[in-house]
């Protein structure tokens, strides 16, 4: 509110009380979210609030709630243990949500890699993971989409990634968002070549149809030439 409202239009600087209000609301959110979906009870939060000067009571309770929310750090160990019992070897990655909604608590993102002997095991592994990661947003709070990705020889296979919210969706975009935290991806030269060839043919097909509807010019020819070059390159990679 301090930065969004154009206070200069009324010849005033943003009042400092707005910063105080934002801090209080953030602290209040931490306490209420922990009470709704966390492990601390009212007694512990009340004790923290009463352990010092009353002016900082809310801040102390909020700090305790935020430390408790760091229990997300224990989630990888719990998930690894549960997955191991189900016969799945997983690597779990977490990172904080930079702009959490009020219903996200703890505010952490999750990615799960599954080490496979061969990719034909992936559908079964995904089904098992979905069962282990079953989530009811009405109880502990909402959760960002979870990245599920197979690992072969310790390397993630990007094109097989999926994301789980309440249902499964293709996950290459989410994989890219996690790329700096994950190991270097497994090379997939033949698949990359096939996708590149398909995209080039798709472009050429669109241009050919466009030419039946209207006159084309040098721009269209340049695009066609680039698509032909990409198709030929894909052929060389596949060969």
């Amino acid at each position: 509110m301090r930065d969004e409202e154009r206070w200069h239009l009324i010849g005033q600087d943003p009042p400092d009380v707005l910063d105080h209000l934002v801090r209080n609301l953030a602290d209040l959110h931490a306490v209420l979210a922990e009470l709704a979906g966390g492990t601390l009870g009212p007694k512990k939060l009340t004790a923290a609030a009463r352990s010092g000067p009353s002016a900082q009571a809310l801040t102390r309770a909020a700090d305790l709630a935020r430390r408790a929310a760091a229990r997300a750090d224990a989630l990888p160990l719990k998930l690894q243990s549960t997955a191991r019992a189900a016969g799945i070897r997983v690597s779990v990655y977490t990172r904080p949500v930079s702009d959490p909604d009020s219903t996200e608590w703890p505010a952490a993102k999750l990615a799960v890699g599954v080490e496979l002997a061969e990719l034909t095991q992936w559908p079964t592994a995904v089904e098992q993971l979905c069962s282990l990661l079953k989530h009811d947003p009405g109880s502990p709070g909402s959760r960002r989409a979870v990245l599920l990705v197979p690992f072969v020889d310790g390397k993630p296979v990007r094109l097989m990634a999926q994301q789980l919210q309440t249902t499964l969706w293709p996950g290459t975009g989410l994989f890219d968002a996690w790329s700096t935290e994950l190991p270097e991806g497994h090379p997939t030269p033949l698949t990359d070549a096939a996708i590149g060839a398909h995209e080039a043919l798709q472009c050429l097909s669109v241009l050919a149809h466009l030419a039946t509807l209207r006159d084309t010019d040098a721009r269209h020819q340049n695009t066609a030439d680039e698509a032909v070059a990409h198709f030929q390159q894909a052929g060389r990679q596949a060969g």
Side-chain angles (χ1 to χ4, degrees):
M1 183 183 296
R2 178 185 179 93
D3 298 325
E4 293 173 359
E5 298 295 337
R6 292 175 286 186
W7 293 92
H8 66 279
L9 295 179
I10 58 173
Q12 292 185 9
D13 293 328
D16 293 336
V17 69
L18 290 178
D19 293 332
H20 181 69
L21 178 61
V22 168
R23 286 194 297 271
N24 281 347
L25 289 175
D27 287 345
L28 184 61
H29 166 254
V31 172
L32 294 178
E34 178 61 27
L35 286 171
T39 57
L40 292 177
K43 290 184 178 180
K44 291 183 179 179
L45 290 168
T46 301
R50 293 176 175 174
S51 63
S54 59
Q56 288 80 43
L58 178 58
T59 299
R60 286 191 298 274
D63 288 342
L64 177 62
R66 292 187 182 101
R67 289 195 296 271
R71 66 186 179 277
D73 294 339
L75 180 59
L77 295 177
K78 180 180 179 181
L79 181 56
Q80 287 172 339
S81 175
T82 307
R84 191 181 304 113
I88 313 172
R89 186 154 58 99
V90 301
S91 299
V92 185
Y93 305 84
T94 62
R95 65 183 182 192
V97 177
S98 59
D99 55 341
D101 294 331
S102 61
T103 57
E104 293 178 297
W105 195 262
K109 298 178 183 178
L110 186 67
V112 183
V114 184
E115 186 65 41
L116 303 176
E118 54 185 51
L119 286 176
T120 55
Q121 300 171 325
W122 182 228
T124 300
V126 166
E127 185 177 349
Q128 291 175 298
L129 280 177
C130 288
S131 177
L132 294 178
L133 291 167
K134 189 175 182 180
H135 176 72
D136 176 15
S139 177
S142 62
R143 180 183 70 186
R144 298 288 175 102
V146 178
L147 175 66
L148 309 178
V149 59
F151 278 50
V152 175
D153 297 329
K155 296 181 178 181
V157 183
R158 173 183 179 273
L159 294 173
M160 300 290 287
Q162 299 194 52
Q163 58 177 309
L164 173 66
Q165 191 69 56
T166 53
T167 56
L168 283 171
W169 296 86
T172 53
L174 185 57
F175 178 93
D176 293 340
W178 277 91
S179 59
T180 56
E181 284 90 350
L182 299 174
E184 182 180 357
H186 196 289
T188 53
L190 290 179
T191 303
D192 294 341
I195 292 174
H198 179 269
E199 290 175 345
L201 287 175
Q202 190 177 41
C203 179
L204 290 170
S205 176
V206 169
L207 289 171
H209 180 67
L210 180 64
T212 67
L213 303 176
R214 52 170 291 182
D215 293 335
T216 58
D217 55 32
R219 295 173 302 168
H220 304 94
Q221 186 59 51
N222 290 337
T223 301
D225 291 342
E226 291 175 0
V228 170
H230 289 159
F231 181 82
Q232 291 173 339
Q233 181 183 6
R236 289 192 294 270
Q237 290 175 342

